[in-house]
Amino acid sequence: FNSNWPQGGLAGLAIHPQFLDGTGTHDFVYISYVHRNLGGTSPTGQFFRNKLVRFTYNSGTNRLESPAIVADALPGSNDHNSQRIIIAPVTSGGTNYLFYASGDMGAGQFGNRDRPNNAQDPTSYEGKILRFNLESDGDAGAAAWIPNDNPYSATSPVYAIGIRNNQGFAYNPTTNVLYGASHGPYSDDE
């Protein structure tokens, strides 16, 4: 145990809906994890970088190979890192997307009490649900993984704002509703 490292580590895993369907074309596993420490503690908290990566499962070697970086500039902290992921459509029978939850990084509490709370700022990834394509759509750079119809822009993965710290996702295919379980303000989780 190292108290200088954040909550999380390997925090999310999702498997492509067509994984091992026999074609070998979508044998993808998506993983979110804390990637690196950005320099320890400052007066506004601890800062880390999180990563979201797609690996291809090789059935011959039984290994995850060929990592493709979906996003590597995701904020991290020692608190409220979240990093939960799920694959779900936006509309019934529609295209599946990869949803990633980014916590508010513990802004306003404990060692992060002076860290700004960016959950309501759509230009920040802190305190958000982010939406990504399951495969690159051919756009340049990081935008290749971002759906062109994301609500804030075709170059921003931000899908929903104002999330404190999502601890899990669930998708109901009957009602076509994606649920996230999030920490409430100091109590009364939602």
Side-chain angles (χ1 to χ4, degrees), residues 97 130-132 146-159:
Y97 295 98
L130 308 179
R131 182 175 71 147
F132 296 96
I146 299 171
N148 293 329
D149 63 346
N150 265 4
Y152 291 93
S153 87
T155 59
S156 172
V158 174
Y159 190 73

Side-chain angles (χ1 to χ4, degrees), residues 83-134:
Q83 299 186 78
R84 301 309 189 257
I85 59 178
I86 190 172
I87 295 172
V90 172
T91 59
S92 180
T95 301
N96 281 309
Y97 295 98
L98 179 65
F99 291 90
Y100 172 94
S102 181
D104 68 1
M105 308 297 127
Q109 66 179 17
F110 308 120
N112 293 297
R113 69 184 161 276
D114 295 326
R115 186 177 186 136
N117 192 331
N118 295 313
Q120 297 294 336
D121 177 358
T123 64
S124 167
Y125 294 168
E126 297 176 15
K128 307 294 183 296
I129 302 296
L130 308 179
R131 182 175 71 147
F132 296 96
N133 293 315
L134 295 181

Side-chain angles (χ1 to χ4, degrees), residues 14-15 22 30 40 48 56 65 95 101 130 133 142 167 171 186:
I15 297 174
Y30 303 83
F48 297 84
T56 302
E65 301 174 348
T95 301
L130 308 179
N133 293 315
Q167 291 297 287
Y171 174 71
Y186 303 107

